[in-house]
Amino acid sequence: EWKNSERELLMNVRIPFNTTAEIFIPASPKDEVKENGITLENSSSIKILETTNTYKRISAGSGEYKFRIVKH
């Protein structure tokens, strides 16, 4: 589930029990990306795999995640 506006993108992601997933988050390096109010760099449940000019690729374990991307 996601919602997109001019200033921000909200993404809700559900990963089934006992699995991991790679998630591509559309964000530039200038954009602020948080999961439940915590930056990706400070999250204990998320590992950043790659950052490009157009997206961040992360790895996450089972659970529910609420991403907020503020566009700059």
Side-chain angles (χ1 to χ4, degrees), residues 13-23 35 43-49 58-67:
V13 177
R14 182 177 296 146
I15 302 170
F17 178 72
N18 207 25
T19 60
T20 60
E22 284 189 13
I23 303 166
E35 193 281 315
S43 175
S44 61
S45 58
I46 292 173
K47 180 178 178 186
I48 300 172
L49 302 174
I58 64 169
S59 174
S62 57
E64 293 190 30
Y65 299 89
K66 295 178 187 277
F67 297 99

Side-chain angles (χ1 to χ4, degrees), residues 25-62:
I25 299 174
S28 77
K30 295 179 182 179
D31 294 343
E32 178 182 281
V33 182
K34 292 186 176 181
E35 193 281 315
N36 282 335
I38 300 171
T39 61
L40 298 182
E41 293 80 9
N42 291 323
S43 175
S44 61
S45 58
I46 292 173
K47 180 178 178 186
I48 300 172
L49 302 174
E50 179 182 18
T51 299
T52 72
N53 288 331
T54 57
Y55 66 83
K56 291 184 184 287
R57 183 172 60 100
I58 64 169
S59 174
S62 57

